[in-house]
Amino acid sequence: MTCREFLALLDDLIDENLTAETRAEIEQHLHKCGHCEVIFNTTRKTIEIYRSHELYELPPAVNERLHAAIMARCKAKHS
Amino acid sequence: MSTIQSIAGQNERHPDETLVERVRAGDVSAYDTLVRKYERRIFRIAQNVTQNREDAEDVMQDAFLKAYEKLDQFQGNSKFYTWLVRIAVNESLMRLRKRRTGKMVSIDEDMETEEGTVPRDLADWAPNPEQNFNQAELAEILRKTIQGLPQGFRVVFVLRDVEGLSTEETAETLGLSIPAVKSRLLRARLQLRDRLSRYFHRKTGVEK
Ligand SMILES: [Zn+2]
């Protein structure tokens, strides 16, 4: 497996969409290729960090104000 | 009479389906429940696409109102949430267009996806790199980094990796092919990784 072939499979590897056979080939490549190993680990970490951190807080008071506005507008449509 | 009634083995219904039916029958309180359930996620998506707080608040309101008005057009063959996200993304893109008048904004913007070179990176990250920053610093880094992505990559990354839509749902929501979603997702992930590396590299030499 070349680095380019590895990269083409990176998403499926991260999303765990691979057959055991392909996985084994990839693991072999990662074992001897430090570059791809770093790319794999840090890309996975990137996703994990974004998934676990709320970037845009919606303060409860704002949330309530917006929620009330939405429901008021819907009720106005309804009647 | 022995009419064939093999309704057994029907798919289990998504709880949203019952709520949607109740709303259609005129029960506004059922819509309240749906709004509560998804408002924060819709706000996050809108903020990610528009990169503007005021717009995100407007989009959140308009998307729910539009969904309410068009509920009878909603077909049960997609999930209510996916349908709602599609409305919110479209509203967000409209806001972007208004802000950048004259400049076309679409999901296809900046998308010449030249087959990228294989990234070369031997410098690993520190073990828990995010712990070298306080919450506010880290949030700022993450915001700055994702803002730098081309819009069409950012949306795919947010829907797929942050909000957890499937590749198929993301494609459907954005009106893109599945290969297009996959190619953008890979590029988005790699670009974010590359940009975060600046902050997260293991410090070589003397510890600070
Ligand atoms: Zn390699």
Side-chain angles (χ1 to χ4, degrees):
Chain A
M1 181 176 288
T2 66
C3 294
R4 190 171 283 274
E5 285 164 344
F6 165 78
L7 200 64
L9 293 167
L10 178 62
D11 280 345
D12 285 330
L13 179 66
I14 288 170
D15 301 330
E16 295 177 5
N17 278 335
L18 293 171
T19 61
E21 198 187 336
T22 314
R23 256 200 89 88
E25 276 179 58
I26 286 179
E27 265 153 31
Q28 235 179 8
H29 180 78
L30 291 182
H31 203 68
K32 53 185 192 321
C33 181
H35 293 287
C36 288
E37 197 188 13
V38 168
I39 298 293
F40 172 50
N41 289 331
T42 54
T43 304
R44 203 167 45 173
K45 184 77 186 169
T46 297
I47 297 166
E48 188 196 308
I49 289 179
Y50 271 102
R51 207 170 271 168
S52 57
H53 288 85
E54 190 97 27
L55 297 193
Y56 305 108
E57 293 291 339
L58 187 59
V62 180
N63 191 355
E64 282 314 308
R65 173 173 60 77
L66 295 172
H67 181 88
I70 291 167
M71 292 317 297
R73 285 169 74 190
C74 288
K75 279 174 190 147
K77 286 277 164 198
H78 190 64
S79 51
Chain B
M1 278 222 298
S2 60
T3 41
I4 306 155
Q5 286 190 323
S6 56
I7 309 173
Q10 266 187 330
N11 295 334
E12 257 179 60
R13 300 185 77 201
H14 193 279
D16 288 354
E17 275 183 53
T18 319
L19 289 167
V20 166
E21 255 167 42
R22 279 173 52 198
V23 180
R24 277 176 172 159
D27 180 357
V28 188
S29 76
Y31 200 60
D32 198 294
T33 310
L34 284 169
V35 176
R36 278 251 176 262
K37 189 169 171 188
Y38 295 123
E39 58 195 359
R40 300 179 74 82
R41 279 154 89 178
I42 293 300
F43 172 79
R44 268 204 314 254
I45 291 170
Q47 173 82 57
N48 264 305
V49 178
T50 63
Q51 298 293 318
N52 178 287
R53 174 118 212 162
E54 213 178 299
D55 283 349
E57 291 187 8
D58 288 347
V59 166
M60 173 181 155
Q61 296 184 64
D62 292 349
F64 279 108
L65 189 70
K66 210 165 218 175
Y68 184 75
E69 287 170 342
K70 294 189 166 180
L71 203 58
D72 48 348
Q73 292 169 32
F74 165 64
Q75 309 278 321
N77 49 23
S78 65
K79 280 191 217 147
F80 173 74
Y81 174 61
T82 324
W83 182 71
L84 182 64
V85 169
R86 192 188 322 172
I87 294 174
V89 169
N90 285 336
E91 289 287 316
S92 302
L93 291 174
M94 251 163 55
R95 297 270 160 182
L96 268 185
R97 258 175 233 129
K98 266 188 212 159
R99 281 204 183 265
R100 313 182 191 166
T101 34
K103 198 180 167 207
M104 267 304 287
V105 178
S106 81
I107 213 74
D108 297 315
E109 188 194 14
D110 301 333
M111 286 303 103
E112 334 80 73
T113 53
E114 85 290 351
E115 278 316 305
T117 46
V118 181
R120 291 257 140 210
D121 201 344
L122 264 180
D124 205 353
W125 289 2
N128 287 298
E130 69 273 33
Q131 286 169 8
N132 295 330
F133 303 89
N134 69 39
Q135 283 298 315
E137 282 170 343
L138 182 64
E140 182 57 26
I141 290 171
L142 296 177
R143 276 196 297 266
K144 241 176 22 203
T145 303
I146 202 167
Q147 273 166 13
L149 278 190
Q151 134 88 5
F153 290 177
R154 193 169 66 229
V155 185
V156 170
F157 178 80
V158 166
L159 295 185
R160 186 68 185 64
D161 278 340
V162 182
E163 301 302 330
L165 268 66
S166 69
T167 303
E168 290 73 17
E169 287 169 336
T170 305
E172 194 199 318
T173 302
L174 300 177
L176 292 170
S177 68
I178 286 174
V181 169
K182 286 187 166 169
S183 129
R184 287 179 193 197
L185 183 65
L186 176 62
R187 256 149 254 287
R189 285 169 165 179
L190 290 175
Q191 280 191 24
L192 288 176
R193 186 212 75 87
D194 192 47
R195 287 158 197 232
L196 285 183
S197 290
R198 255 173 265 167
Y199 305 97
F200 293 166
H201 265 158
R202 186 190 292 278
K203 299 273 178 293
T204 46
V206 196
E207 287 290 303
K208 61 168 178 179

